[in-house]
Structure formats: C-alpha cells, structure tokens
Amino acid sequence: MFGGKATDGSGKEVEVAAPYSGRVLWAYLIVQISVFAGLAWKYEFFLLADQVYHRLLLSDPFFPAWLQSADVIRWAYLGSLTAIILGVVGMLPWIRMLCASAQVGCLVIMLLHQGSHNDMTFATSLWASIWVFWFATRMERDEPADLLRRGAFLGRAIASMILLGGAVGKWTPEYWSGEVFYDIYFRERDFWVFNYLREAYDAETLRGIATWYSRKVIVVETLFGFGLWLLPPRWAAAAGVTIFFSIAFFSNNLLYSVLLAMIGLSAVGFFVPKTMNDSSTRATG
C-alpha cells in the first residue's frame, strides 16, 4: 500500500513503503473497530427488540412492507457487523471497498426501517461508515499524509455536525432550566454519578445541580458543534474523544452504543503527522 520501488546495495529492486502508510491503516482500523463496538454494545437491546418484532408484527402504512419486516431489520443489523469484520480481516483493497459499501447499505436500511429509524446508534454508525467507505476508496490512491489530513478534517466535521444537532434539540426552556435532565437522570436514574449526588445533596441542591449540568451540556455541544471542525487535527481529536466519552461516562452507559463510533472518528486526528498538525491544516484540502 502506497510507496514504490528502490534499489538496495546489490542493485536489486525492493518495495518501499510510503511514509505514514501504517498510520493510514491504523486510522481505518480504529474507526471500523469503534463502529463495530458501538453496534455490538447494542446487541442485548437489539436481541430483545428482535424477539418482540417477531412476535408482534410491525404495521404502519407510512413504511413499505419490506421496511416493516422483522427479518429485514435482523439481517441488516447482522449484515453490518459481518461487513465490518470482513472489511478488517480482508486486507485487499477491493474487499475493503466492497465491505464498506455493504456496511453503509445495511445501516441505511436500519435508518429507514420502522423498527430502528429513530435510533441514534444507527445514525452515528452510518456517518462513521460513510467516512469508512470514502477512506477505503482513497487508501490506495492518495498520498498517506494528505489522506490522513483530509480524513481527520472530514471526521471532525461529522463530529461537529453531530454535536450541533444534539445542541439544537436542547435549546428549549425545559432543557435550559434543567427540568428534562432532572426528570430523566437526577430523580431516579440508577447510575453512579446520580446515585452519589442523591446521597450527597438534598433535593433543592440537586435540582440546582441539574440546572447547571444541563446548561453545561448545551453550551459545550453548541460551542464545539460550531467550532470543533476549525481546530487543528490533534487538538480536535483530543477534544472530540474527551467530549464523546464523557457524555456516556457521566450520564448513561447505554450511550456508548451511540458515541463509540464518534470517539473512533475523532481519534483519526491523532494519526495526522505532527508537521501537518498546525493552523495551516484547517483548510479542507
């Protein structure tokens, strides 16, 4: 992959790997593994949903019959996992591209299907998979350092869009006052953060904490939604990984199914060569 031929001391031609080609492969693998991990994190919930869908048939005239089928959603989910595995272990370029296209296709079906169209796990996984497909088509064609730079930019642009989308939905009086987060998390949610807060503070103080917790979430998602894509690659990678990881770590383990793909996509910036990791790399290329 990448590189060319050189002559050794005996005059024999040998293959020479291009600089940073290993980083390209690792960037691809990190994103693929993170998408797989996010989808696999959903497995227990999906297994239960699959059992329900096969017992209680889905029926909504808005969706065509094939997008109501429990078998379609089952095989689309399993197909996406299979495509990722084959794309990782099958190292030939055409296998990577074929599997990436199948991966995208399966996740598109998941987002169109009646049983999963409103699930953010499949939305973030699809965006990361679109990135994978683009990256796989360029891995054998583009100069590695330039591909990493453009891949990192595209990754943080997608991350910015996801953050901004989350922020837009929270710019309401109910979220700004903390009412929504208080009802969802602080009042009864069995999670280490909220269990500790309920034990440590009285109800009035807890309500105030919920307000500032909610406002912090809104402000962080808004600022980085508008600005993450403007940061240099490694700064953006550190910010993206920290933000997406902390959202799940401090609120709900189930959110890892949504956010692992974004964590992997953000991490691509760490692979950009240091010589390119400055303000000049903010251009799209």
Side-chain angles (χ1 to χ4, degrees):
M1 179 175 64
F2 312 113
K5 294 183 177 180
T7 303
D8 61 15
S10 64
K12 182 180 179 181
E13 284 190 339
V14 294
E15 293 288 338
V16 179
Y20 311 122
S21 60
R23 296 189 187 190
V24 169
L25 182 58
W26 273 109
Y28 166 81
L29 292 175
I30 289 295
V31 178
Q32 284 287 59
I33 291 170
S34 70
V35 175
F36 183 89
L39 291 171
W41 200 279
K42 197 81 173 179
Y43 178 76
E44 185 175 353
F45 171 84
F46 188 86
L47 181 62
L48 177 61
D50 180 72
Q51 293 171 350
V52 172
Y53 293 158
H54 277 84
R55 293 174 184 173
L56 303 174
L57 298 181
L58 298 172
S59 180
D60 188 325
F62 178 81
F63 296 89
W66 70 279
L67 287 178
Q68 298 178 44
S69 169
D71 288 331
V72 168
I73 190 174
R74 171 190 289 176
W75 290 111
Y77 176 73
L78 295 176
S80 64
L81 294 174
T82 303
I84 294 172
I85 293 172
L86 295 177
V88 168
V89 300
M91 300 309 295
L92 294 176
W94 69 269
I95 295 179
R96 280 196 296 260
M97 289 186 282
L98 179 63
C99 290
S101 63
Q103 178 179 334
V104 170
C106 288
L107 289 168
V108 167
I109 292 173
M110 297 295 291
L111 278 185
L112 294 176
H113 197 281
Q114 182 185 343
S116 54
H117 70 278
N118 58 352
D119 196 314
M120 275 301 295
T121 294
F122 305 118
T124 55
S125 296
L126 174 60
W127 279 109
S129 297
I130 291 172
W131 182 95
V132 167
F133 175 77
W134 168 80
F135 199 75
T137 63
R138 308 309 308 174
M139 288 175 69
E140 302 298 321
R141 302 179 183 181
D142 295 356
E143 194 277 325
D146 186 56
L147 178 60
L148 287 167
R149 177 182 63 82
R150 291 189 290 118
F153 176 82
L154 182 57
R156 63 184 181 268
I158 293 172
S160 289
M161 178 191 65
I162 296 297
L163 287 170
L164 191 58
V168 168
K170 296 182 181 70
W171 275 109
T172 66
E174 292 78 13
Y175 270 99
W176 189 251
S177 69
E179 178 183 345
V180 175
F181 274 110
Y182 181 73
D183 289 337
I184 294 175
Y185 292 123
F186 286 81
R187 191 190 297 274
E188 296 180 348
R189 178 59 63 93
D190 183 14
F191 191 66
W192 70 273
V193 173
F194 308 111
N195 291 339
Y196 167 77
L197 291 174
R198 282 193 296 270
E199 293 175 1
Y201 299 99
D202 58 40
E204 182 178 355
T205 303
L206 192 66
R207 184 65 181 79
I209 294 173
T211 296
W212 290 108
Y213 178 95
S214 184
R215 292 177 181 178
K216 180 269 297 180
V217 170
I218 294 170
V219 170
V220 168
E221 288 185 352
T222 301
L223 288 178
F224 283 94
F226 279 113
L228 185 65
W229 66 280
L230 295 170
L231 296 176
R234 296 197 180 194
W235 283 91
V241 169
T242 300
I243 291 169
F244 289 119
F245 176 80
S246 65
I247 291 173
F249 185 75
F250 290 110
S251 58
N252 187 349
N253 282 335
L254 295 176
L255 288 176
Y256 283 117
S257 70
V258 176
L259 299 171
L260 281 170
M262 290 296 101
I263 292 172
L265 200 57
S266 298
V268 174
F270 290 127
F271 296 97
V272 176
K274 290 184 178 180
T275 55
M276 306 180 75
N277 189 41
D278 54 36
S279 60
S280 66
T281 65
R282 297 179 187 178
T284 60

